[in-house]
Amino acid sequence: MAPGPVLSCEGLRRRFGGIVAVDGVGFVIQAGETYGLLGPNGAGKTTTISMIAGLLQPDAGRIVVSGEPVSTRAVAVRRLIGYVPQDLAIYPDLSARENLVFFGRLYGMPAARARERASEVLELTGLADRAGDLVKTYSGGMKRRLNIGLGLLHRPRLLILDEPTVGVDPQSRNAILESVESLAGEGIAVLYTTHYMEEAERLCDRVGIIDHGALIAEGTRDELVSMVGGRDRVRLLAPGDLGAWAAALAGREWVHEASVTGQGVDLMVTGARGHLAEILAAAAQAGVTVRSVEVTEPDLEAVFLHLTGRALRD
Amino acid sequence: MKALSIGLVNLRRAFRQRSNVFFVFVFPMLLILVLGVTFGGAATPRVGVVSAGSGPLGTALVRQLEGLPHLKVVAVGGPAALVTDVARGNLGAGLVIPRGYSEAIRGGRAVALRYVQRPDPSSRQLGQAIQGVVAAQAAVLGAARFAVAQHAAPGFQAGLAAARRAEALVPAVTVRPASAGTVPFAQRVGEFDEGAWTELVLFLFLTAMTGAVGQIEVRRLGLSRRMLATPTPPSAVIAGEALGRFLVAIIQAAVIITGSALLFGVGWGSPPGVAAVVIVFSLVAAGAGILVGTLFRNEQQAIGVCLLLGLGLGALGGCMVPLELFSPAMRAVAHVTPQAWANDAFARLVGDGATIAGIAPQLAVLAGYAAAVLALASWRLRRVLTA
């Protein structure tokens, strides 16, 4: 494998008429890393990955995959890239095996090798027992799995997944997320676009937040969360006189705010999980019986809200 | 090789649907059958003859009628049945040779033969041909009776033998036909022939046009985009699409030509000539199908236009009404369509027995159409795929 990142893109810009769809986007992905491109619909995610897949020529910027530049004219580099589109780009009137063998041939595999890889991918995606059935008879989840399998057929170094769980039932969604998690272990660099914050948090080593065509923030989940102060909310339900307890907690340096509500105490703290025992010990000292504890940690949704003033799904 | 893979997938998809198999192969064959039975029967008119009990001279007259070209003599049981069959159109005309015909002639009595005809020009033409045969026999019979009357023969049978011998020796007066101008319909065309080639031309184009729907579906499903995300250049995708349409057309043509020849006895003429017309016309049709497929975003829009163009151009190009029946001005307009040139080529091959060299002008025009349509279709498809 070539040294350096699997994907490196910088300064990507693409305009459609008077609308700038992507404006100066750049990031790198290392082998075995899953990078999430998180943003609302229309943020520029699909345009960005279309350029990275070599399907759309950027107006400006540079894309390199394993040392080879990507453009719409650079056909050979596409052997390094697996592209899983958001749409179910599968022939419905062919079987799963026929679909796989056909695309294997387009990736340049000899016929025997294409058949062999088709069998492997059918096993991998759990479709082996329905391999000969026409795809139009499959459930939505099975089609999604085949859609992803087609992207893995040629063992790419970079796998691009464009919102692969849209319209999928929870069970199939979980299966898809598990299969994506396993890819990183095989050394594949994964670029995963989504507008589901939970998926980005679960799958991605690093996340780029994109809005209005621009990458407005990038980093690990913790790095991004720290941008909003990294404060956790702790809500404690307890009866009785809570003033002394709240005052005692307010004196701690990791407590930023402590307020008595009608049913308990609300705290804004740093590192809530590490200080829960101390909070409960203080309650015992103050003679307070805590009935329930609720910890709310800041998430990427909060980060997006903080950065844009809008929710992810607005 | 990638273009071949794409072409073969298109081919597999086209014939995987049973409805496609019906409309591509079975339906054209049914139409050839219907057209042949409905309009092709007049090619060999059938003349019914009642000759039971007419004796040797009656049998001899039937043999002479059977020797006439372009008609078929059918034995009928009696005069009533003959009249019924002629009235119903099962027979073009009929002749009744009465019982005792030979005896009456030998006895020197006058005999009248009854000719039953339909009130149309074709039946009257048959009557003239039959009258000619009867007159020829009457001349020999008259000569035999003359020989008896002049005591040159001892009896009628001897006189008849002498007259037949003399007939071979007497210099005959013959009419030698010479043609001027052109005939509207080729003379060698069989019952099913014209229907077969016009339906072939119609359905080759129609099938390729409706193939545009599949092409739009491939684009709508994102399959074209997925193909381009593989190490496959747009030129291979375009070539594969064209190859798929072309292979469908070639297989359709092979089945219709072979099937119509085996089932209906259609004589297609020079195999190299037929192959050449099928290949260049299939290229035109494939290009047209791809071109139309690039002009619409969804299948519903495309299917109406495809049927309209396929049937409309087919009608204008002589696939529904023979070009020979068009006015000269309309015939000139019809030759804007590739169908008219293909029909001309088949008419020359089937009707006139032309070889591939004899249809060189038609092939050249069709090749020009193919080059132009395929170039335009490729340009449009590249723009659509890479937009």
Side-chain angles (χ1 to χ4, degrees):
Chain A
M1 189 178 288
V6 174
L7 170 67
S8 168
C9 56
E10 57 189 44
L12 294 183
R13 185 179 167 84
R14 174 72 195 203
R15 174 190 288 271
F16 294 104
I19 298 169
V20 178
V22 172
D23 189 10
V25 168
F27 52 88
V28 297
I29 309 179
Q30 305 293 337
E33 183 182 27
T34 299
Y35 186 95
L37 206 52
L38 181 68
N41 290 329
K45 301 188 297 293
T46 298
T47 302
T48 300
I49 62 168
S50 294
M51 290 188 283
I52 293 169
L55 294 168
L56 189 64
Q57 189 64 28
D59 296 330
R62 185 165 175 268
I63 305 162
V64 176
V65 172
S66 290
E68 295 188 35
V70 175
S71 76
T72 52
R73 292 181 199 85
V75 172
V77 69
R78 293 178 203 157
R79 76 191 185 283
L80 305 173
I81 304 169
Y83 172 62
V84 179
Q86 189 179 135
D87 299 324
L88 290 169
I90 313 165
Y91 286 106
D93 42 12
L94 297 185
S95 69
R97 186 182 298 282
E98 287 170 334
N99 270 285
L100 287 162
V101 171
F102 168 66
F103 278 100
R105 300 288 283 157
L106 294 193
Y107 277 109
M109 295 179 201
R113 177 67 183 142
R115 285 194 295 271
E116 186 185 332
R117 269 303 285 164
S119 296
E120 291 170 9
V121 171
L122 285 165
E123 288 292 339
L124 186 73
T125 52
L127 296 170
D129 57 335
R130 296 283 306 275
D133 295 349
L134 298 186
V135 169
K136 63 185 174 189
T137 65
Y138 285 13
S139 68
M142 292 167 74
K143 289 176 187 170
R144 281 280 164 202
R145 271 149 44 204
L146 178 60
N147 200 35
I148 293 173
L150 285 165
L152 293 168
L153 189 64
H154 58 298
R155 298 186 188 282
R157 292 188 189 165
L158 171 67
L159 179 67
I160 301 170
L161 295 149
D162 188 7
E163 309 212 27
T165 59
V166 169
V168 173
D169 62 90
Q171 192 180 352
S172 295
R173 184 175 176 222
N174 197 48
I176 289 169
L177 297 184
E178 281 176 5
S179 63
V180 174
E181 283 171 328
S182 70
L183 294 173
E186 296 173 17
I188 296 175
V190 178
L191 172 56
Y192 191 99
T193 78
T194 182
H195 62 266
Y196 294 126
M197 177 270 299
E198 306 85 351
E199 291 182 6
E201 289 202 334
R202 173 173 165 180
L203 294 176
C204 301
D205 301 304
R206 287 188 303 129
V207 173
I209 294 179
I210 188 169
D211 189 40
H212 292 127
L215 200 65
I216 54 176
E218 185 192 45
T220 63
R221 178 201 170 279
D222 291 343
E223 286 169 347
L224 290 170
V225 164
S226 69
M227 293 174 71
V228 291
R231 294 174 184 175
D232 306 332
R233 176 185 294 275
V234 182
R235 178 162 289 171
L236 300 131
L237 293 184
D241 182 7
L242 305 175
W245 178 38
L249 289 172
R252 310 292 207 272
E253 66 176 81
W254 40 269
V255 176
H256 305 283
E257 192 180 320
S259 55
V260 178
T261 65
Q263 297 175 312
V265 171
D266 275 7
L267 304 173
M268 293 298 294
V269 303
T270 300
R273 290 176 191 275
H275 296 103
L276 272 181
E278 198 174 339
I279 292 169
L280 295 175
Q285 281 181 351
V288 174
T289 304
V290 177
R291 291 181 176 168
S292 76
V293 180
E294 179 187 329
V295 178
T296 307
E297 295 173 332
D299 56 17
L300 293 174
E301 180 80 45
V303 175
F304 190 82
L305 186 65
H306 171 76
L307 292 171
T308 67
R310 292 181 290 117
L312 255 174
R313 288 165 208 176
D314 281 352
Chain B
M1 284 306 289
K2 290 180 180 177
L4 181 62
S5 294
I6 296 168
L8 290 176
V9 157
N10 283 332
L11 185 66
R12 182 177 294 178
R13 295 183 69 220
F15 293 132
R16 184 153 277 179
Q17 292 179 29
R18 286 183 185 170
S19 59
N20 276 3
V21 173
F22 176 80
F23 282 108
V24 170
F25 299 127
V26 181
F27 192 53
M29 295 294 282
L30 287 175
L31 282 181
I32 291 169
L33 174 66
V34 169
L35 290 174
V37 169
T38 308
F39 301 111
T44 310
R46 287 152 38 99
V47 174
V49 175
V50 178
S51 62
S54 63
L57 290 177
T59 304
L61 183 57
V62 173
R63 295 279 175 272
Q64 284 177 284
L65 287 173
E66 287 173 343
L68 284 176
H70 308 308
L71 66 80
K72 184 177 180 185
V73 174
V74 178
V76 180
L82 181 76
V83 170
T84 302
D85 280 347
V86 171
R88 288 178 178 171
N90 297 332
L91 296 170
L95 182 69
V96 180
I97 307 172
R99 286 181 177 279
Y101 173 71
S102 295
E103 289 74 13
I105 296 292
R106 284 197 188 95
R109 295 191 298 277
V111 179
L113 304 184
R114 185 180 171 200
Y115 178 65
V116 182
Q117 67 178 20
R118 293 176 58 77
D120 59 36
S122 167
S123 204
R124 283 193 289 276
Q125 285 174 0
L126 284 173
Q128 288 168 5
I130 291 168
Q131 280 178 25
V133 172
V134 172
Q137 190 188 50
V140 174
L141 296 175
R145 280 209 294 268
F146 181 74
V148 173
Q150 294 298 314
H151 306 292
F156 180 80
Q157 204 58 37
L160 184 59
R164 282 178 175 157
R165 283 195 301 275
E167 183 188 23
L169 299 173
V170 174
V173 178
T174 57
V175 177
R176 184 183 301 160
S179 298
T182 56
V183 290
F185 291 95
Q187 300 303 296
R188 294 162 48 125
V189 173
E191 185 177 0
F192 295 98
D193 292 4
E194 183 149 9
W197 85 62
T198 54
E199 293 311 303
L200 175 67
V201 170
L202 177 70
F203 277 91
L204 279 186
F205 201 80
L206 200 55
T207 303
M209 291 295 280
T210 52
V213 173
Q215 181 191 324
I216 293 168
E217 184 191 27
V218 164
R219 253 194 357 259
R220 181 177 54 77
L221 291 174
L223 281 156
S224 301
R225 192 173 158 83
R226 182 160 224 160
M227 285 183 221
L228 292 173
T230 69
T232 305
S235 57
V237 176
I238 293 164
E241 289 290 341
L243 184 62
R245 305 278 165 265
F246 178 71
L247 289 175
V248 169
I250 289 292
I251 291 173
Q252 182 182 27
V255 171
I256 291 176
I257 289 170
T258 309
S260 62
L262 293 175
L263 294 175
F264 311 128
V266 173
W268 285 91
S270 157
V274 173
V277 178
V278 166
I279 288 170
V280 286
F281 189 72
S282 296
L283 288 171
V284 176
I290 292 172
L291 182 60
V292 171
T294 63
L295 301 176
F296 300 95
R297 286 183 182 275
N298 66 58
E299 294 93 319
Q300 288 74 25
Q301 290 174 330
I303 189 69
V305 174
C306 288
L307 288 174
L308 193 68
L309 278 175
L311 294 173
L313 291 175
L316 184 60
C319 293
M320 297 180 188
V321 176
L323 289 169
E324 292 85 353
L325 298 181
F326 284 24
S327 68
M330 271 308 294
R331 210 174 301 152
V333 172
H335 281 81
V336 170
T337 69
Q339 284 88 340
W341 292 94
N343 281 324
D344 279 354
F346 279 121
R348 295 269 299 121
L349 289 167
V350 180
D352 303 335
T355 62
I356 190 169
I359 55 166
Q362 289 84 1
L363 288 176
V365 172
L366 287 172
Y369 269 110
V373 175
L374 280 170
L376 188 59
S378 301
W379 173 72
R380 277 287 310 164
L381 187 55
R382 180 181 287 269
R383 278 178 61 96
V384 169
L385 290 177
T386 57

